[in-house]
Amino acid sequence: MNQPEQETRDGEPLKLRERAYASFTERLLAREIKPGQFVTQRELVAMTGYPLGAIRELVPRLEAEGLIKTVPQRGMQIAHADLNLIRNAFQFRLFLEREATALYTASASDEEVAAQRARHEAIIARAEAGGDERLIEDAEDTDRLLHEAIIDHLDNDIVSQAFRVTWLKIRLIRQYETRIQNHILVPVMRDHLKIITAIESRDPVRAAEEMSMHIGNARTRAMQY
C-alpha cells in the first residue's frame, strides 16, 4: 500500500523539480527573472509553469546554490550580479579549473583536443570575416564546451555540478556586464587557443598557467563594468 506512494515521491516529484529548475534558469538567463528581483513562490509558479509543490522543493536548492536568498519581511530575492558575486565566482573557477586543466592535459585524447582547436579556429575565422547573426551564441557555446570538457574529464559529479552552478552565475555576470561581444570575442578565443596549445604539447604546468591567466583576464573585464 505504501510502495506506490514512495515511488511517486522518489520519482515524478523529483523529475518535476529538475524541470522546474531548468525552467527557472532559462528564465533567469532570458532576463524574465532579474537579479535583485523579489519573488514569491506563487510568482515562481507563474513564471516557470510548474506547480507549487515542485517550487517548494526547488527553493532550498536555489538557496543552497546562492541563486536566491530569503530577506526577512521581504521574501525571496534573486541573486545580484554584483562585485561580491564576481569575486567569489571567479575565485571558485580558478581553484577548480587550474587543477582540472593540468589533469586534462595529461590524459585527454588527441582527437578531443583537436576538435576543441577546430571549433575555436572556426569562430575566429567567422569573426574576422565580419561575423554573422549566430556568431555570439556559437562563441559562447564554444567557450562553455571547452571549460565543461576540462571539468567533466575529472569524472566527478560533485565537481561538475558545482562548476555548472558557478557557470550559471558567470552567465549572469556576462549577461549584465561582460557578455562575449564582438570586441572581446577574438581575444577570448585566442586565450583559449593558448590553453589548447599547451594541452597539445602535454605541458600541464603551462596549461594550468594559461587557464589561470584566462580566468584572470575574464575577472578583470567583469570588475571593470
Side-chain angles (χ1 to χ4, degrees):
M1 292 292 291
N2 292 331
Q3 187 62 33
E5 181 181 352
Q6 183 66 37
E7 290 175 354
T8 299
R9 185 180 302 120
D10 291 344
E12 188 62 21
L14 179 60
K15 293 178 184 178
L16 276 177
R17 186 172 65 231
E18 292 298 323
R19 294 203 297 269
Y21 180 85
S23 180
F24 173 87
T25 56
E26 286 170 7
R27 280 151 183 76
L28 190 60
L29 294 174
R31 304 190 188 190
E32 295 174 23
I33 303 173
K34 296 178 173 57
Q37 177 181 348
F38 283 90
V39 295
T40 66
Q41 289 186 3
R42 294 196 178 278
E43 286 172 335
L44 288 177
V45 167
M47 291 173 181
T48 64
Y50 285 90
L52 186 59
I55 297 302
R56 284 174 174 162
E57 293 190 10
L58 172 64
V59 167
R61 176 178 176 178
L62 297 177
E63 289 181 316
E65 293 181 353
L67 295 174
I68 65 170
K69 65 177 180 179
T70 300
V71 179
Q73 299 181 340
R74 297 200 63 184
M76 297 183 299
Q77 186 178 31
I78 307 301
H80 279 289
D82 57 14
L83 290 178
N84 188 56
L85 177 62
I86 293 170
R87 284 192 295 266
N88 291 345
F90 280 102
Q91 184 181 62
F92 189 68
R93 278 190 63 191
L94 183 61
F95 289 160
L96 285 185
E97 293 187 70
R98 183 179 177 89
E99 180 66 17
T101 300
L103 295 172
Y104 184 84
T105 300
S107 56
S109 71
D110 292 341
E111 293 78 11
E112 181 177 347
V113 178
Q116 293 285 1
R117 173 176 286 281
R119 279 194 289 269
H120 284 77
E121 290 179 342
I123 291 294
I124 291 173
R126 286 166 62 186
E128 291 180 340
D132 53 75
E133 63 181 14
R134 285 190 54 85
L135 178 61
I136 298 298
E137 182 179 351
D138 290 346
E140 290 183 335
D141 284 343
T142 298
D143 182 22
R144 174 181 55 80
L145 287 171
L146 175 65
H147 292 282
E148 284 187 355
I150 290 170
I151 289 293
D152 290 346
H153 195 74
L154 296 171
D155 194 24
N156 184 317
D157 291 341
I158 295 173
V159 172
S160 290
Q161 177 60 30
F163 174 79
R164 280 164 172 76
V165 173
T166 302
W167 191 262
L168 176 60
K169 294 173 183 177
I170 296 293
R171 284 283 306 275
L172 282 179
I173 293 166
R174 281 182 178 165
Q175 191 174 65
Y176 287 87
E177 308 290 349
T178 62
R179 186 172 186 263
I180 295 180
Q181 298 294 346
N182 288 324
H183 70 287
I184 65 168
L185 188 154
V186 171
V188 168
M189 293 294 107
R190 293 201 185 282
D191 269 5
H192 277 198
L193 284 176
K194 291 177 183 178
I195 298 166
I196 291 168
T197 297
I199 293 169
E200 289 169 334
S201 67
R202 302 301 174 178
D203 185 340
V205 173
R206 181 178 157 211
E209 289 174 349
E210 293 291 356
M211 178 61 80
S212 297
M213 290 179 64
H214 169 58
I215 293 172
N217 289 340
R219 179 182 181 276
T220 297
R221 283 193 299 269
M223 296 289 283
Q224 288 175 343
Y225 281 80

